[in-house]
Amino acid sequence: MYYQTLLFLGTAVAAAAAASPPIPTAAQLRLMRDVGLAQFMHFSVNPWSSIEHNCVGDSPECIPAAVFNPTNLSTDQWVETAVAFGAKEICLTAHHEGGFALWDTAFTNYSVMHSPYGRDVVAQFVQSCKRYGIKPCYYMGPNANGWLSNHKKVSASEFVRRQLGMLEELLTKYELPPSRLWWDHYPSGCGGLAPCPNGSFPAAWPQFVELVRAKSPATIICPGPDCDGHQGESGLATYPSWFPCDPQPDPDHPGVELKCGDHAPNASLTGFHPYEACATMHNGWFCKGDGSDLKTNTYWSAGEIWDHYMNSVGVGWVNTLNAPPGTTGQIPQPLVTEMTTFGSALRALLEPVVPALSDVVGTTCQNTTIATIKLDDDDDAFNAIISREDLSHGQRIVSYALDFSTDFGATWRQFQFSTKHGASVGAQMIDFVSPPPPSGVRQVRFRCIASMAEPVYLASFSLHAGARPSSGI
């Protein structure tokens, strides 16, 4: 049995907190609220070679398209793994830095259609995503195509024309438009892992932004102008996380915002950028061979995936974790097992022990209790508390505390936690109580200590039980 109490306190918003914080776009809100965890898919000609970064730097040597011939490619297996993993989106390397294209494109002869496999992988991928209700995302770096730049040695203008043409195909050719584009090396120029002709980038970036806005306005570019993405490759966040930022528009292209810097808990800032982390759950971004040789291929355990999730998505970031297929065209089974074990543990954690409080409004945030859950004797034990801000009103909460009472609110004590917490809430905060709650807890409350604006809004507040999984092997 349970019952819940929401406290709506105060009758007026203090003048000091009257400023309205910046509001995310619908695409940014969807990325944080509906995605959170995404599955990366690094797949190209690389697994047939020992080369991790194909055709980059100044090298004109590219892994030949003739090697690409997966023996049992199954995009359904990719998406089924994502569902078991708990990912809501898959980011496929439609073309990686070397430029090998996984679809039937009119703008290069370095593609699956010029390989022994000879079939459009992106088309299969989109159909699998549709079948299982997973959002498709594409990695395609506009300023990175080693085949065109190093091998074909096209001019800067021709490079931009072809890259724009390939991007437009990915935006418009298939039944499902991409939910996201993952732009590596944004907003840099040419060189190193971004092979492009001198004079093409960074000048051409606004053209690519404008194309996406025109052809697929619901598509978010992250990493790119819509978020602070690719924050290293550790797959770990920093905390606290502040989304308000100072937008930096391109002076030569009105309406094109290339970056948003100086993040701070300040409602007077006018920009909003989520954060995105990434990492690979393999010892490389690409699989070696079919992935079965565990001397050359090592994989994260379910527990390692859990740790990275809790320290990224668990503190309000998006995380894109790589599960690379091998030469069979499927994700190797050892990694699938670990991802599935993690996914089972995550689903168990995310199920509230009692129904969550939803749509909580606190008219003041001055060491104010804004939500209380009451428990009875027969309610399940919990060891985690999940708080989510309603970011449709912008990020507002600057500091908070979580308290419990064993005597129905006569006295309160603050929970202790083993990880950083108590500042930003944002898209999500998963707080594990450490040490575990004492027996006889009858009430748990969310106390809003300070905010950058009032009122404050919680999308949900809930109690959970979960544990780090052991290895699935």
Side-chain angles (χ1 to χ4, degrees):
M1 294 171 57
Y2 70 96
Y3 62 98
Q4 306 160 334
T5 302
L6 305 184
L7 301 180
F8 301 92
L9 299 172
T11 59
V13 176
S20 295
I23 304 299
T25 65
Q28 289 172 328
L29 192 61
R30 184 173 62 248
L31 181 69
M32 293 183 291
R33 183 188 60 200
D34 299 341
V35 175
L37 176 64
Q39 179 173 302
F40 231 156
M41 301 287 300
H42 275 63
F43 191 47
S44 187
V45 290
N46 303 57
W48 285 267
S49 167
S50 61
I51 297 173
E52 178 80 356
H53 293 279
N54 173 36
C55 205
V56 298
D58 298 323
S59 173
E61 299 301 322
C62 302
I63 302 168
V67 305
F68 187 86
N69 193 19
T71 55
N72 192 23
L73 191 149
S74 172
T75 56
D76 276 356
Q77 189 253 7
W78 302 355
V79 181
E80 288 166 355
T81 301
V83 171
F85 181 42
K88 303 297 191 298
E89 177 188 82
I90 298 179
C91 245
L92 174 65
T93 54
H95 92 50
H96 202 248
E97 297 153 340
F100 183 79
L102 292 179
W103 75 99
D104 186 2
T105 173
F107 294 92
T108 183
N109 60 357
Y110 190 46
S111 76
V112 288
M113 307 312 291
H114 296 84
S115 76
Y117 184 72
R119 282 169 277 171
D120 188 323
V121 174
V122 170
Q124 298 172 57
F125 168 66
V126 170
Q127 286 304 306
S128 294
C129 287
K130 181 182 177 183
R131 188 174 301 119
Y132 290 89
I134 293 291
K135 296 175 173 63
C137 159
Y138 301 128
Y139 173 117
M140 183 214 153
N143 67 335
N145 190 321
W147 178 261
L148 294 181
S149 180
N150 297 350
H151 185 79
K152 303 296 277 186
K153 300 188 182 303
V154 301
S155 67
S157 60
E158 179 65 6
F159 182 90
V160 170
R161 185 189 76 83
R162 292 199 191 192
Q163 289 285 87
L164 283 168
M166 283 190 271
L167 177 58
E168 184 168 352
E169 288 174 336
L170 290 173
L171 293 172
T172 62
K173 185 173 182 176
Y174 300 100
E175 187 174 356
L176 294 180
S179 64
R180 178 161 59 127
L181 294 172
W182 208 98
W183 280 0
D184 209 352
H185 314 301
Y186 177 88
S188 68
C190 301
L193 298 180
C196 55
N198 289 333
S200 57
F201 285 86
W205 281 114
Q207 295 181 60
F208 288 82
V209 176
E210 289 170 335
L211 177 66
V212 177
R213 304 299 190 229
K215 296 296 183 180
S216 188
T219 297
I220 189 170
I221 313 171
C222 176
D226 297 329
C227 82
D228 281 31
H230 199 179
Q231 299 290 299
E233 296 180 352
S234 69
L236 300 172
T238 57
Y239 183 83
S241 300
W242 308 117
F243 303 140
C245 53
D246 184 20
Q248 300 167 21
D250 184 272
D252 299 321
H253 294 80
V256 176
E257 177 189 312
L258 293 180
K259 296 181 70 176
C260 196
D262 300 324
H263 289 248
N266 184 344
S268 67
L269 293 170
T270 58
F272 185 104
H273 264 202
Y275 287 95
E276 187 260 5
C278 68
T280 180
M281 298 182 286
H282 177 272
N283 58 313
W285 283 102
F286 289 93
C287 203
K288 279 81 171 173
D290 65 6
S292 63
D293 184 346
L294 299 184
K295 292 181 180 178
T296 56
N297 296 275
T298 59
Y299 306 101
W300 283 6
S301 68
E304 288 174 300
I305 300 171
W306 176 273
D307 295 341
H308 283 78
Y309 179 96
M310 294 306 158
N311 287 285
S312 58
V313 184
V315 297
W317 285 37
V318 175
N319 204 346
T320 312
L321 296 178
N322 183 47
T327 54
T328 63
Q330 297 193 26
I331 304 170
Q333 188 57 46
L335 182 54
V336 171
T337 300
E338 298 300 317
M339 293 169 70
T340 301
T341 300
F342 161 80
S344 296
L346 179 64
R347 280 187 291 278
L349 169 70
L350 295 181
E351 187 67 31
V353 299
V354 297
L357 297 178
S358 300
D359 302 322
V360 179
V361 180
T363 56
T364 63
C365 177
Q366 300 170 36
N367 200 23
T368 306
T369 299
I370 64 169
T372 303
I373 295 177
K374 295 186 177 181
L375 299 160
D376 282 344
D377 291 336
D378 57 353
D379 285 325
D380 293 332
F382 67 94
N383 68 340
I385 303 169
I386 300 182
S387 311
R388 296 186 176 101
E389 269 193 87
D390 182 351
L391 293 175
S392 65
H393 300 280
Q395 186 180 25
R396 293 173 177 245
I397 296 170
V398 173
S399 62
Y400 71 96
L402 301 170
D403 308 318
F404 68 93
S405 174
T406 57
D407 53 12
F408 298 98
T411 58
W412 291 91
R413 285 180 286 170
Q414 190 169 328
F415 282 114
Q416 299 300 308
F417 301 95
S418 59
T419 57
K420 293 180 180 179
H421 89 118
S424 58
V425 175
Q428 175 173 254
M429 271 301 296
I430 302 178
D431 285 312
F432 279 91
V433 181
S434 180
S439 60
V441 171
R442 291 294 175 263
Q443 291 181 313
V444 176
R445 72 181 183 184
F446 183 99
R447 181 159 43 93
C448 192
I449 298 173
S451 66
M452 64 184 90
E454 295 178 347
V456 293
Y457 303 88
L458 288 180
S460 63
F461 179 59
S462 50
L463 308 181
H464 300 257
R468 184 182 191 269
S470 57
S471 175
I473 296 178

